[in-house]
Amino acid sequence: MSSLKEQAELPSGFPPAWRSAVASRLGGSPIQAWLELDLDAQLRFGAGLLVVTADQLWAFEGGPDQPSLRNWALDQELKLLCSDHNGVGLLELVQDRQRIGAWRYTLGGHVQANRLLEQFEARREFLLHGKPMQLAPLSLCQQCKSPLDPDLDECEVCARVIHTPPSTWTLLRLWRFAHPYRWQLLSGFLLTLAATAATLVPPYLTMPLMDQVLIPYQNGQPIDTVLVGWLLGGLFGSALLAWALGWIKTYILALVSERIGADLRTTTYEHLLKLSLEYFGGRRTGDLMARIGNETDRINVFLSLHLLDFATDVLMILMTAGILFSINPTLALATLLPLPFIGWLIHAVRDRLRTGFEKIDRVWSEVTSVLADTIPGIRVVKAFAQEDREAQRFRDANRYNLEVNDRLNRLWSLFSPTVSLLTEIGLLMVWGFGIWLVSKDSISVGVLTAFIAYIGRFYTRLDSMSRIVSVTQKAASGAKRIFDILDHVSSVPEPAQPVVLPRMRGKIEIRGAGFRYGNRAVIRDLDLTLNEGEMVGLVGHSGSGKSTLVNLICRFYDLAEGAILVDGTDIRQMGIADYRRHIGLVLQEPFLFFGTIAENIAYGKPDATREEIVAAARAAHAHDFILRLPLGYDSLVGERGQGLSGGERQRISIARALLIDPRILILDEATSAVDTETEKEIQRALDNLVKGRTTIAIAHRLSTLRKADRLVVMDKGRKVEEGSHDELMAREGAYYRLYQAQQRQAEANRDMMPDE
């Protein structure tokens, strides 16, 4: 074993379990990259490690306690190939066209594998061709713990959701929402123009005030009180006019911006509701909440305040420059000398600010996502005593948010004072050059005074405009995140010319159905017919495709192959909302909204009368326990129905389904999460619910499907058996084995119960 001096220096973030084994075997060679393996050659979960050092590839196999070790020198004959298939990554080491090593890993290590491959090739090229290179040690992202590339400003994993960089031009897309208010915006712009012109009057009046009043008075001439009165009146009038115009245009544009923001929020939320479940499966609730809330608020502030300031600044700069050139072109040129440098600085900083602000948006969405995860799941957090863990998650997300903001603030803190310094230099140049011109009798003191007044306004507005770069890039990154939602096309589209069925009977035909989640086939070549008013039970092991099938029937997803027909019409030809109004859904975990019992029962039919609500509750065997609540049907159930038991929530969901009188009913494990007595109550409610409806029932407890007309046994996305309970038991096939396994489990549970 090597001495401590000879042990390899391990980079930060290196797997702790492997530190001792690796440090004692690699000597002093620095580690360039590594990949922690989690699969063995038989695709079972196991531990392993690949390491690239300055001149070798090392493979540790068999776990960190007593690993077997192999190593290869990085020569020209050695090649490392990377591929993946069905969620498993494969690294192959090839020499002379023969595979001399192979390692497998789940795709969670994809970023590490790519880094390892890059470092392998880089070190090999260096050793073969002697090209100078500096390879920095690998560190981990503090947010997602993925390897960081030292040449990049951000983590590739955290940034992988960004398909296009945010651009200031994204703000122009807001015109779609501003167009209905174009006349108000035009009036606001004209008022801004007039108010800006009014603010430019006072410096112009200082020239006669200096040259015709004050300087002659110092030379012994009496003051012309009439002229002074007119000049002071002009100064007061221009100030009063600028105030009035500024107040009116600010009020108008504030009203317009609030309406644009409200329309933007509403449109985004409405579009979000139209997207398929596939979209929500890859998004976090906190991130979507942050986009609709924080981003639209940021755009609102930009439109109501900063856009107006920006327009005022531009107008002020252009109009001031025009006045300066009309007074004295030579002095005006000296005044504008720092302007190109400020413009270059703004351009150089803008892109870094824009990407930085979007990074801040993403990090902030992580903070809100922790809250969105923890607060609804607070019962589970407390049940498992994980308050400290969740607090640490929030601290970590909050700390990373602070670090990202600090990095951007370092850039901004340098940029803003630099612009201020350049404006001060410009002002000094005007003073110096202006005094020289006065000494040469080229201009009067009044002209220099007016110039100083105008240049003060000019550089103040220029400094203000440079500061608006920050809020503009914030608004641009926010607009980009909003349009990421609005640009997303639902994978379950509305038909161009929807078919309307005069009366739905409820016959369902599934023909050659196929469906995939990514690369994984979940439904394969499925044919099934459900007759009108028939109850069909779906049974099978977990993962056999039962819930996916009912999701396809509800058209939460669209088939990849085949078709689903209702009453002979492909459901993709029907309007989505019109079709789903005929479907009643009772889930294993019923979701209740914050509100009263009556509001939850009437969710699918908001205009239902109290008599209809009570009738549905009676049929669902929920009326009695509702009356025992403090306010009866007007009792609040709490968020997600926290104030009710599981059986009570389930019966309210059954009443909700009864009220809309659906032609197709789907029961997804409706009684699996309750006790036996509650199950009997729910079963009586379900007996009322299924009458006269085409019913699809999923259940793991096969005894709950005793009243089904037919049972369909599914396995790996295919229908393997079909028939009644007695027929399937007589065949002694897949259903028979499922039933026998459940009977043995039930008997074992009874034997384990203590004697009374």
Side-chain angles (χ1 to χ4, degrees):
M1 184 175 290
S2 304
S3 65
L4 289 176
K5 290 184 179 179
E6 296 173 331
Q7 290 186 1
E9 183 179 348
L10 301 180
S12 62
F14 194 83
W18 288 96
R19 283 184 172 272
S20 176
V22 171
S24 62
R25 287 169 171 83
L26 296 193
S29 184
I31 294 174
Q32 305 300 332
W34 71 85
L35 168 63
E36 194 169 8
L37 304 167
D38 52 5
L39 295 175
D40 62 16
Q42 288 74 41
L43 295 181
R44 296 174 300 195
F45 285 105
L49 186 73
L50 291 179
V51 174
V52 172
T53 61
D55 57 358
Q56 295 192 72
L57 173 69
W58 301 76
F60 296 80
E61 298 167 334
D65 295 331
Q66 292 182 333
S68 61
L69 178 62
R70 293 188 290 167
N71 63 296
W72 298 267
L74 304 182
D75 59 35
Q76 61 181 357
E77 300 296 332
L78 209 62
K79 294 183 179 178
L80 190 62
L81 307 177
C82 183
S83 60
D84 65 84
H85 180 67
N86 288 340
V88 175
L90 173 64
L91 279 174
E92 297 176 281
L93 189 64
V94 178
Q95 190 174 40
D96 296 328
R97 299 185 179 180
Q98 293 186 351
R99 189 168 76 173
I100 59 175
W103 303 275
R104 292 170 174 82
Y105 57 92
T106 60
L107 289 186
H110 180 65
V111 174
Q112 281 182 308
N114 282 342
R115 168 74 178 186
L116 183 89
L117 194 62
E118 291 171 1
Q119 293 293 325
F120 177 90
E121 293 296 332
R123 291 305 308 173
R124 202 169 67 90
E125 284 293 315
F126 173 67
L127 293 171
L128 293 177
H129 304 295
K131 294 180 179 178
M133 59 182 0
Q134 182 65 37
L135 293 175
L138 187 63
S139 58
L140 296 184
C141 170
Q142 296 187 25
Q143 183 180 12
C144 68
K145 306 306 179 186
S146 297
L148 282 173
D149 189 332
D151 296 327
L152 298 178
D153 290 334
E154 58 185 342
C155 172
E156 294 179 75
V157 174
C158 295
R160 68 183 182 272
V161 296
I162 301 178
H163 305 295
T164 55
S167 170
T168 310
W169 295 107
T170 307
L171 293 171
L172 296 179
R173 299 184 64 185
L174 294 173
W175 177 250
R176 161 186 168 187
F177 299 94
H179 185 262
Y181 310 101
R182 57 191 179 280
W183 298 115
Q184 293 95 319
L185 289 171
L186 178 61
S187 64
F189 176 76
L190 294 176
L191 288 168
T192 299
L193 187 64
T196 303
T199 59
L200 292 174
V201 171
Y204 201 84
L205 295 179
T206 59
M207 286 192 295
L209 198 60
M210 292 290 295
D211 294 338
Q212 301 178 31
V213 177
L214 295 178
I215 293 176
Y217 174 74
Q218 285 185 332
N219 294 330
Q221 297 182 17
I223 291 179
D224 188 344
T225 56
V226 176
L227 179 59
V228 170
W230 279 107
L231 291 175
L232 293 180
L235 289 172
F236 177 74
S238 62
L240 190 63
L241 180 62
W243 170 82
L245 294 173
W247 174 74
I248 296 171
K249 54 101 174 177
T250 302
Y251 180 70
I252 290 175
L253 292 177
L255 291 180
V256 170
S257 68
E258 287 296 333
R259 280 150 182 77
I260 292 174
D263 293 345
L264 184 61
R265 277 191 294 269
T266 301
T267 303
T268 306
Y269 182 64
E270 289 176 351
H271 183 78
L272 197 63
L273 292 177
K274 293 176 183 177
L275 296 177
S276 66
L277 291 184
E278 182 182 11
Y279 178 84
F280 293 94
R283 304 297 187 282
R284 299 188 70 176
T285 303
D287 178 57
L288 295 176
M289 291 170 61
R291 293 192 192 201
I292 296 177
N294 296 355
E295 307 302 353
T296 52
D297 285 344
R298 182 179 293 173
I299 292 170
N300 244 16
V301 171
F302 171 75
L303 293 174
S304 61
L305 298 177
H306 302 297
L307 181 61
L308 177 63
D309 290 341
F310 182 76
T312 305
D313 292 341
V314 172
L315 288 172
M316 179 71 79
I317 289 172
L318 293 176
M319 295 169 73
T320 304
I323 293 173
L324 291 175
F325 275 98
S326 68
I327 295 174
N328 190 294
T330 306
L331 192 55
L333 284 175
T335 300
L336 302 179
L337 194 60
L339 191 59
F341 297 100
I342 295 175
W344 173 82
L345 189 63
I346 291 173
H347 175 74
V349 169
R350 183 185 59 188
D351 289 338
R352 296 188 65 181
L353 285 176
R354 187 166 58 235
T355 54
F357 284 127
E358 186 168 9
K359 191 190 300 184
I360 286 173
D361 292 340
R362 294 199 311 275
V363 173
W364 179 248
S365 73
E366 287 294 325
V367 177
T368 57
S369 292
V370 173
L371 296 175
D373 290 343
T374 306
I375 294 174
I378 192 65
R379 180 177 295 180
V380 177
V381 173
K382 290 184 174 297
F384 288 90
Q386 294 300 307
E387 293 92 341
D388 291 342
R389 176 188 174 188
E390 294 301 330
Q392 185 61 46
R393 279 182 65 206
F394 187 83
R395 279 195 296 270
D396 291 342
N398 206 21
R399 184 178 65 250
Y400 188 65
N401 174 64
L402 186 63
E403 291 171 358
V404 171
N405 276 277
D406 285 346
R407 285 201 295 270
L408 192 64
N409 287 334
R410 280 196 294 271
L411 173 66
W412 181 247
S413 62
L414 178 64
F415 168 74
S416 187
T418 303
V419 173
S420 299
L421 176 63
L422 290 173
T423 59
E424 290 296 328
I425 292 173
L427 190 59
L428 288 174
M429 292 175 64
V430 172
W431 271 109
F433 191 55
I435 291 171
W436 183 78
L437 289 176
V438 169
S439 68
K440 298 294 184 181
D441 294 326
S442 298
I443 61 172
S444 66
V445 175
V447 170
L448 179 58
T449 305
F451 244 93
I452 296 299
Y454 276 121
I455 203 61
R457 281 171 165 75
F458 180 87
Y459 278 128
T460 299
R461 291 298 182 175
L462 192 61
D463 186 52
S464 172
M465 194 168 70
S466 69
R467 296 174 190 275
I468 290 175
V469 171
S470 170
V471 293
T472 302
Q473 301 317 313
K474 284 183 181 180
S477 67
K480 190 259 181 185
R481 282 164 57 80
I482 289 290
F483 283 111
D484 279 347
I485 296 176
L486 294 175
D487 292 341
H488 195 91
V489 179
S490 175
S491 60
V492 181
E494 287 277 2
Q497 296 180 332
V499 175
V500 179
L501 297 181
R503 178 183 175 275
M504 182 174 285
R505 300 188 307 276
K507 181 179 180 180
I508 302 174
E509 299 171 79
I510 302 171
R511 300 177 181 174
F515 180 74
R516 292 174 174 271
Y517 283 123
N519 293 326
R520 183 167 61 96
V522 184
I523 300 294
R524 300 178 176 89
D525 195 25
L526 180 64
D527 292 294
L528 182 64
T529 299
L530 290 80
N531 296 315
E532 178 184 350
E534 184 181 27
M535 181 178 180
V536 173
L538 295 180
V539 300
H541 293 290
S542 295
S544 59
K546 305 184 299 297
S547 295
T548 300
L549 179 59
V550 299
N551 284 336
L552 292 168
I553 293 174
C554 292
R555 212 186 164 206
F556 294 147
Y557 304 95
D558 269 348
L559 288 170
E561 303 165 359
I564 298 176
L565 287 74
V566 173
D567 296 344
T569 302
D570 193 322
I571 61 174
R572 289 171 291 197
Q573 297 178 356
M574 304 180 194
I576 295 175
D578 290 337
Y579 169 63
R580 289 179 184 158
R581 286 192 185 99
H582 298 286
I583 298 177
L585 189 60
V586 180
L587 301 171
Q588 177 181 3
E589 288 291 334
F591 188 96
L592 300 184
F593 295 91
F594 184 88
T596 66
I597 297 284
E599 289 169 346
N600 273 280
I601 294 176
Y603 185 76
K605 188 179 178 183
D607 58 347
T609 63
R610 181 55 64 98
E611 289 75 16
E612 291 174 317
I613 293 171
V614 172
R618 286 183 182 277
H621 291 260
H623 181 68
D624 291 342
F625 85 77
I626 292 174
L627 291 183
R628 289 195 294 269
L629 296 174
L631 298 176
Y633 283 86
D634 295 319
S635 299
L636 290 174
V637 297
E639 189 173 3
R640 303 192 181 196
Q642 295 275 341
L644 301 174
S645 69
E648 290 169 342
R649 290 197 300 269
Q650 192 64 280
R651 278 176 278 174
I652 289 176
S653 73
I654 293 172
R656 183 167 59 192
L658 274 165
L659 187 61
I660 64 172
D661 191 22
R663 299 307 309 150
I664 298 172
L665 178 65
I666 294 175
L667 308 175
D668 190 353
E669 300 285 356
T671 62
S672 66
V674 295
D675 58 76
T676 305
E677 193 61 36
T678 305
E679 181 184 355
K680 292 178 181 177
E681 283 290 320
I682 294 175
Q683 198 62 53
R684 284 194 289 269
L686 292 175
D687 291 342
N688 293 331
L689 183 58
V690 301
K691 290 178 182 176
R693 313 179 203 279
T694 304
T695 304
I696 304 168
I698 298 175
H700 281 107
R701 281 190 280 189
L702 303 181
S703 58
T704 61
L705 298 176
R706 61 185 182 276
K707 295 185 179 180
D709 300 305
R710 251 189 314 149
L711 298 175
V712 174
V713 185
M714 296 187 66
D715 184 39
K716 297 180 180 178
R718 290 188 171 92
K719 179 181 69 175
V720 294
E721 283 186 333
E722 183 177 3
S724 66
H725 169 78
D726 294 336
E727 292 171 350
L728 295 177
M729 289 295 291
R731 293 179 194 171
E732 297 188 2
Y735 179 80
Y736 176 83
R737 290 191 293 274
L738 277 172
Y739 190 84
Q740 291 297 325
Q742 284 199 7
Q743 289 296 104
R744 288 193 295 271
Q745 183 63 43
E747 291 174 2
N749 290 340
R750 282 196 297 269
D751 292 341
M752 293 174 63
M753 292 179 64
D755 295 331
E756 295 293 337

